[in-house]
Amino acid sequence: MLLTALGTDLADPEHSSTRNGIHLGATAGTLDILQRCYTGLEARGDVLRLNLLLPEGLDRLDCVIRYRNQLISLHVYHERLRISAAPGSGQPVPVAVRGRSFMLCPGTIVAVALHGRAEPASRPDQGSAPPDAAES
């Protein structure tokens, strides 16, 4: 998709619209589709909400976002989501994935089956989490 959006600029840089800023708009629009639309990303009511929907031609999507001064990594697949918060002293982030809610604590990874239920995250130093739910 990105190559299609920027095809003119990449194929013929001498006659491209880059000087006019058009490629920046195409890049921003393409990234918006990838990061916000395919993840269903929405910050509403102090909750980071995700309603994931990857198109058939895209096997996975990885991106990093900043929410409430936390770096959060999203690894989206058709059948699951892996979401992690960078280690640090930040506050836990309330997350809702397709209506299922959990708290994402700094330094944790949560795996969510997109056809099952989400399990709460645990800190790596607080013992083990349920299988396939949280990883350290």
Side-chain angles (χ1 to χ4, degrees), residues 20-21 49 88 97:
N20 299 328
R49 299 173 189 280
V97 177

Side-chain angles (χ1 to χ4, degrees), residues 2-136:
L2 186 59
L3 290 174
T4 301
L6 300 176
T8 304
D9 291 339
L10 293 173
D12 188 8
E14 206 168 295
H15 296 97
S16 76
S17 55
T18 303
R19 289 184 299 277
N20 299 328
I22 293 174
H23 108 165
L24 183 58
T27 302
T30 303
L31 289 175
D32 183 53
I33 289 169
L34 289 169
Q35 286 186 328
R36 191 176 53 87
C37 296
Y38 291 167
T39 64
L41 181 68
E42 181 182 14
R44 182 170 38 97
D46 292 331
V47 176
L48 180 63
R49 299 173 189 280
L50 300 164
N51 189 17
L52 308 149
L53 184 61
L54 289 183
E56 286 300 318
L58 190 61
D59 293 331
R60 73 184 273 181
L61 173 63
D62 297 320
C63 61
V64 178
I65 61 170
R66 182 177 294 275
Y67 179 72
R68 290 185 165 181
N69 209 27
Q70 288 268 19
L71 287 178
I72 298 174
S73 297
L74 303 173
H75 304 280
V76 182
Y77 305 86
H78 288 277
E79 57 287 327
R80 67 184 161 95
L81 163 71
R82 281 188 31 174
I83 181 170
S84 62
S89 61
Q91 295 296 314
V93 172
V95 178
V97 177
R98 293 186 175 169
R100 299 176 308 236
S101 300
F102 57 92
M103 296 298 284
L104 181 66
C105 297
T108 60
I109 300 171
V110 178
V112 180
L114 296 179
H115 302 292
R117 63 179 184 61
E119 296 291 337
S122 67
R123 290 182 180 271
D125 60 350
Q126 291 182 335
S128 63
D132 297 326
E135 305 166 2
S136 52

